[in-house]
Amino acid sequence: MNPETVPMRDHPMAAEPQQWDPAPEPQAPAPGPAPELLRMLGVPGIEALHPQPAWPPRPYDRRLRAPIGLDPAGAPVVLDLKQVEAGGFGPHGLIVGADGSGRDELLRDVLLGLALTHPPEAVNFVLLGHRGAPELEEVAGLPHVLGTALDLAHDPRQRRRMTEQLQGEVDRRHQLQLDGGHPRFLDYQEAIQAGDNLPQLPAIVCAVAGYDVLAADPALRETLLWAAKAGPRGGLHLVLSTNEIDTEQFRGLYSHLAWRIALRTTDEETSRIALGTHDAARIEPGTGFLRTGMTGMTEFQALTSGSSASRLVRTLAGWSPPPPTAWLPPPAPHDLDTVLYPLVITDDGRLLAKHTHFSPQERLSTPIGVLDDPGALAHYSLLFDFAGPHGHLAAYGQPGSGTSTALCALLASLALRHPADQVGCLLVDLDPGAGPLSTLRGLGNVLGAANGEEPEQVTELVYRAGQVLRSREALFSAAGIESIEVLRQRRLHGEPLDDWPSDVFLLIDGWPQLRERFPDLVPLVEHLVDSGPLYGVHVALATDSWQAIDRQMRSKLGTTLELHEAGRGVEAGGHDIQVARPRIQGCPDLPTLAATLSRFSAVSPQPAVTVEEPPLPEPEPLPEPEPEPPAPLTRATVTWDPAENPHFAVFGEAGPERTGLLRALMREVTQRHPATQSKVLLFDYRSELRDTAEELGDHLVGYADDPETGAEMLRDLHALLRNRLPSVEVPAEAVRERSWWSGPDLYLVVDDYDGVGSGPVGLSWLSPLLPIADDLGFHLLLSCAPRVPEELADDPLLDRLCAMYTPREG
């Protein structure tokens, strides 16, 4: 026995057997037929279990204590998961033992012991394992369980979702703590105990069975190392079980394991690493040692729930519903109208899908499915904006993966969201199967359609897309149109300009078949991918192989969907997605959908074109304008109204003028709005606005004058804005009224964008959120060094910001 062993007669948890009282503590078990774990809690049997005596309110210093066995003197040995400063052993620990030692059974019973003495409002569980973790499967039905991922060794998608959910949950909790004024979990719990009116924040015990198997995946190993470092700030505890201790697998993690339990080990070296002695290699099964930094080493005989574990779980499951923050399952298949928000009929008789983020007249945005964001506990519309420089889409996957469905959903979504004079589609359906894309050729925004049995028409349609590009090049030069955005705006104001819709989509289902049967068309399609978006021409293609697309063409496709089965897959950003079924209420199949939508859309003009492509006529020269006398110089006040233009950017060399403008805007905002309605996050790496930060008072919620502080603030802002995004479950009325969240408007003020944008977190992730600022209550004010147009196009945030900004005079 190690000399550091605590004398068992002085064990603080020793107690005489007694009847089960309203706040049970582990005690020496009374004899009887009940499972040993229950008898240790003074419970005579499973039939005597009742939530009222089991789950009374208890102070935080009596929480997170799980009985694990008896010492040689018969006194209870308790595992205390609280942090050392709260009187516990530490938040993270390890159970090591050979197969047959009772290792995973002990892990299961630690969870059962906590569940028997804590309601779900006090402690939650996350269960992680592989296919050989039946003990965790037994307790998966407890009402305390937030989520399970028990096939991590074989399912990369499950590993990715688990990582995001774990990180998202810690971020959510940390934000709650910050909002309550107590950034540390322990301080937050003490404030609740002192009577502060704060939301309950249960601790999370993340049980990991078979760490030695799971740690073979470096990404999963890094996730658990992150949890060990960041978890305590949000009340997250790791309890790992393993057969052996591989120093490489435990690199970086072992120092965070404050306590270790060793049952019988496979060899003396494993015992030595865990305990500092060889004792665990020589003990009998069911016997173990608890090593802690506080009490040294304690020998114990494990007491288990035995064969009664499943019955205990069923009993406890009836006491409480699952936690309200239960982890989100992967998205189920949705119909298209569920991701388009309300479908309305406009005054001119068109069927219109009105999305909350963009009106159809403002952006070329199209939702075609559901995006899974497990970290935010939400599903969002899979929304694509084709108005940018890479306005194309490629869906790839094996037959049956849903690539054709993705193109059909895109076509139907475009038809629902945009009138035919704004968006037109050319359909090339070479799918060797049923060819569902051809079924929608009757839609009002379809300019033409052809399948594999119509080779001449296929060639004609691809040439027609090329004609749009060439005619637009000539039009832009002759009419002085600077960009496709200008053409769209002028078309919206009634200028016809040409006979084509503002944007034309070429949809190709079966890219490998087109390459094989129509090789002469491939260079033209590649040219459309290269230059098309500049003139309102877009390509959307489906292929069964990503390698079938030329490498140079791949880099310019922009939006990509990797589909696996039944429309499930991954988008370019790494999020799991579910492509919507191309149907709406009352239209269960594609022919019915096509017939319904065709009644609500005017047919777009379809200029004839021949395969020979006759040369375009030279544009008539524009008459020379009469010279006008110069207008007298006038002065006007330039104003910024956050309601009209939610963001503000000032370009210029660094200096007092540039910084002074941001200073004036902050003062104006804080004078017009009380601190309950507006909050400022200020990034001031050059320390030019420190005096202004002091003047902001309660309006200021964050000030960063160095990259490390700025990175932490941006992570918190990311979590907050993500929580403000509406999920697809938010009712349409709440979306229209922006009532699914409440709180002050946030003003992110960045003096010197170049310095902040190059930091460890950066600002590019804000780009897709800028157009939906009204929905999120968010404003970006920044100063930036001058940029030429080419540099703006390479920066997604500045490019989106400048495209939205409209100066006003008044």
Side-chain angles (χ1 to χ4, degrees), residues 782-804:
L782 63 83
S783 68
C784 183
R787 296 286 204 278
V788 299
E790 292 77 11
E791 292 174 326
L792 288 175
D794 291 336
D795 189 308
L797 180 73
L798 294 180
D799 182 52
R800 179 65 65 89
L801 190 62
C802 292
M804 294 176 57

Side-chain angles (χ1 to χ4, degrees), residues 339-413:
V339 300
L340 285 168
Y341 289 93
L343 297 178
V344 299
I345 300 177
T346 62
D347 294 338
D348 57 355
R350 289 186 293 107
L351 184 66
L352 179 67
K354 189 170 184 179
H355 194 274
T356 183
H357 292 173
F358 307 99
S359 72
Q361 290 75 24
E362 290 173 342
R363 305 296 295 173
L364 193 61
S365 59
T366 301
I368 67 167
V370 176
L371 184 142
D372 180 27
D373 191 350
L377 298 176
H379 295 153
Y380 304 116
S381 290
L382 180 62
L383 184 70
F384 298 126
D385 188 358
F386 291 95
H390 302 298
H392 308 295
L393 180 143
Y396 62 97
Q398 294 300 313
S401 62
T403 55
S404 297
T405 299
L407 290 192
C408 290
L410 172 63
L411 175 59
S413 183

Side-chain angles (χ1 to χ4, degrees), residues 461-479:
L461 291 179
V462 178
Y463 275 126
R464 183 176 293 177
Q467 186 187 38
V468 178
L469 178 58
R470 290 188 300 276
S471 65
R472 287 279 168 84
E473 290 174 340
L475 174 65
F476 280 28
S477 177

Side-chain angles (χ1 to χ4, degrees), residues 304-323:
T304 76
S305 59
S307 60
S308 302
S310 298
R311 189 178 168 196
L312 283 171
V313 171
R314 289 195 300 270
T315 300
L316 294 176
W319 288 5
S320 173

Side-chain angles (χ1 to χ4, degrees), residues 64 81 91 107 110-111 114 123-128 144 146-147 173 202-208 235-239:
L64 299 178
L81 300 181
L107 176 63
V110 166
L111 300 179
L114 292 170
V123 62
N124 294 160
F125 303 145
V126 172
L127 311 180
L128 308 180
H144 306 68
L146 276 177
R173 290 162 164 267
I204 296 179
V205 176
C206 182
V208 183
L236 175 67
H237 306 258
L238 285 179
V239 180

Side-chain angles (χ1 to χ4, degrees), residues 244-255:
E244 58 185 16
I245 302 177
D246 185 306
T247 54
E248 182 62 32
Q249 291 181 343
F250 277 89
R251 184 184 300 276
L253 177 62
Y254 199 75
S255 62

